[in-house]
């Protein structure tokens, strides 16, 4: 692991909304505090956060609310916050480059620490077009940029060699990679090794411990919305070299993930995750269109499984 300031557990936070699709501001505050108490940072409007479905206005309100909640928590927990730097990672999606630059600048002005951008997805892009997109975006925005590779939703994979070239851009600070490919993971971690200006974050939650053992800087587990404390401990033990404990926690969190992921599409799993969070009083399981809630019977089954964990 290098000494990049971007490290640790970054949870791809759900976007809590009300029944009429409005951002649930109070729920945002509760979740940010929940994360801060367990030493993890949020990634707003990523895949788990229904990023493509969040309006520009709500995206700005989301970032503003999260930053304010983070700062309020830090002011009350002065001693803890000095060693626990909670950074706000803001997801950037869409196909209009000018609008993406505009949103990124607004997020940064509101206090977001890092902009995390997926590829535009309407057109299939060549490797060189991917390079030009990220290079130009990094040139055009003020805040630091993190690449976000997620084959499952963009249906494109940023080649390792393109990542290697982009890592040299002074405003590109890392990669969040959710592609399920162990060889690729090792190659990308090697890019980040030995340098302090580019970090590797594993977005494949089931390989969190393994990625840290290889030298990755951070993990981005969606199940961290429900058990951030387990991933915080997983990270700390893996970094300390206690892989026995880290691997045990990996297995335990993998089992918890099955409650909302098993036999469900990605979209269905996200509302199931909100059902799990509802049992902790964090948010309600309303979704942004085109995603919808599960049936009452399915929601009850999830709650029953959660209760069985206790």
């Amino acid at each position: 692991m290098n000494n990049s300031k971007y490290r640790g557990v970054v949870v791809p936070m759900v976007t809590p909304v009300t029944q009429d699709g409005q951002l649930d501001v109070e729920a945002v505050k509760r979740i940010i505090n929940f994360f801060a108490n367990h030493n993890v940072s949020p990634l707003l409007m990523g895949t788990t956060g229904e990023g493509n479905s969040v309006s520009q206005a709500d995206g700005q309100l989301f970032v503003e609310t999260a930053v304010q909640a983070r700062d309020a928590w830090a002011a009350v927990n002065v001693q803890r916050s000095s060693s626990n730097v909670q950074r706000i990672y803001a997801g950037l999606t869409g196909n209009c480059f000018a609008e993406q630059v505009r949103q990124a600048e607004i997020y940064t002005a509101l206090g977001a620490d890092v902009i995390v951008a997926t590829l535009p997805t309407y057109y299939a892009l060549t490797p060189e077009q991917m390079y030009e997109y990220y290079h130009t975006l990094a040139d055009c925005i003020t805040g630091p940029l993190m690449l976000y590779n997620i084959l499952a939703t963009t249906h494109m994979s940023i080649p390792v060699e393109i990542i290697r070239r982009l890592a040299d851009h002074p405003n590109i600070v890392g990669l969040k990679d959710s592609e399920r490919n162990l060889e690729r993971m090792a190659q990308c971690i090697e890019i980040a090794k030995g340098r302090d200006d580019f970090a590797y974050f594993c977005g494949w939650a089931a390989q969190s411990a393994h990625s840290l053992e290889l030298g990755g800087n951070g993990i981005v587990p969606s199940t961290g919305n429900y058990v951030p404390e387990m991933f915080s401990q997983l990270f700390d033990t893996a970094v300390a070299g206690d892989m026995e404990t880290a691997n045990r926690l990996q297995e335990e969190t993998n089992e918890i993930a099955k409650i909302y992921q098993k036999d469900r599409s990605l979209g269905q799993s996200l509302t199931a995750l909100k059902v799990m969070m509802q049992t902790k009083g964090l948010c309600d399981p309303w979704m942004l269109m085109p995603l919808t809630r599960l049936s009452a019977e399915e929601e009850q089954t999830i709650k029953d499984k959660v209760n069985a964990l206790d």
Side-chain angles (χ1 to χ4, degrees):
M1 180 184 297
N2 62 35
N3 292 319
S4 170
K5 67 179 181 179
Y6 304 108
R7 63 195 302 273
V9 183
V10 177
V11 175
M13 180 176 161
V14 302
T15 297
V17 294
T18 59
Q19 185 173 0
D20 60 358
Q22 301 300 306
L23 185 71
D24 189 337
V25 171
E26 293 306 312
V28 171
K29 296 176 184 177
R30 286 195 297 271
I31 298 170
I32 293 295
N33 287 336
F34 181 53
F35 287 0
N37 285 331
H38 295 296
N39 197 27
V40 305
S41 295
L43 164 60
L44 313 181
M45 297 172 287
T47 303
T48 303
E50 304 168 75
N52 279 285
S53 302
V54 178
S55 70
Q56 291 185 1
D58 271 352
Q60 294 170 26
L61 179 60
F62 197 176
V63 172
E64 182 178 23
T65 304
V67 169
Q68 290 175 351
R70 184 268 310 274
D71 293 347
W73 183 92
V76 173
N77 299 272
V78 177
Q79 291 184 327
R80 288 180 62 187
S81 62
S82 62
S83 59
N84 170 23
V85 179
Q86 188 184 45
R87 292 189 169 86
I88 305 297
Y89 294 76
L92 193 67
T93 60
N95 293 305
C96 176
F97 185 78
E99 286 298 332
Q100 285 184 307
V101 171
R102 176 178 174 274
Q103 284 298 101
E105 291 297 83
I106 291 173
Y107 295 162
T108 299
L110 290 171
D113 297 288
V114 186
I115 301 300
V116 186
T118 59
L119 287 169
T121 58
Y122 190 80
Y123 300 105
L125 303 177
T126 66
E128 201 58 33
Q129 286 172 328
M130 295 180 194
Y131 174 82
E132 288 298 331
Y133 165 72
Y134 278 119
H135 193 279
T136 306
L137 182 62
D139 282 346
C140 290
I141 67 175
T142 306
L145 175 66
M146 184 169 285
L147 317 175
Y148 181 0
N149 183 67
I150 178 163
L151 175 63
T153 58
T154 65
H155 309 292
M156 291 180 282
S157 175
I158 308 170
V160 173
E161 187 51 41
I162 296 299
I163 292 167
R164 193 184 314 279
R165 290 168 58 193
L166 288 168
D168 290 331
H169 192 291
N171 201 34
I172 294 178
V173 298
L175 165 72
K176 183 226 170 186
D177 202 329
S178 299
E179 190 164 334
R180 301 189 172 196
N181 183 319
L182 289 173
E183 181 181 2
R184 174 190 173 87
M185 175 192 294
Q187 292 172 340
C188 291
I189 289 174
E190 282 299 317
I191 293 173
K193 277 186 178 179
R195 55 190 303 169
D196 298 337
D197 58 348
F198 189 82
Y200 174 88
F201 281 77
C202 178
W204 183 4
Q207 295 294 332
S208 295
H210 179 59
S211 72
L212 294 170
E213 187 175 21
L214 291 178
N217 298 89
I219 54 177
V220 192
S222 59
T223 311
N225 279 282
Y226 182 70
V227 283
E229 69 281 4
M230 294 182 72
F231 286 99
S232 184
Q233 186 183 2
L234 187 158
F235 178 84
D236 289 343
T237 53
V239 170
D242 181 4
M243 291 310 302
E244 181 179 355
T245 301
N247 287 325
R248 174 180 59 79
L249 288 163
Q250 183 72 77
E251 292 175 4
E252 292 174 1
T253 54
N254 288 350
E255 288 301 310
I256 293 172
K258 290 178 182 177
I259 296 176
Y260 69 97
Q261 292 177 345
K262 193 175 187 302
D263 299 324
R264 292 190 176 92
S265 67
L266 175 57
Q268 290 172 324
S269 75
L270 300 184
T271 185
L273 177 57
K274 286 185 180 179
V275 173
M276 293 177 68
M277 296 176 71
Q278 185 183 36
T279 67
K280 291 189 173 183
L282 293 168
C283 66
D284 292 320
W286 299 109
M287 305 298 289
L288 293 168
M289 290 293 288
L291 300 182
T292 56
R293 285 183 69 159
L294 302 174
S295 67
E297 292 77 14
E298 288 177 288
E299 289 189 5
Q300 188 57 52
T301 297
I302 293 167
K303 291 176 182 177
D304 291 342
K305 290 181 178 179
V306 167
N307 290 334
L309 292 173
D310 299 330

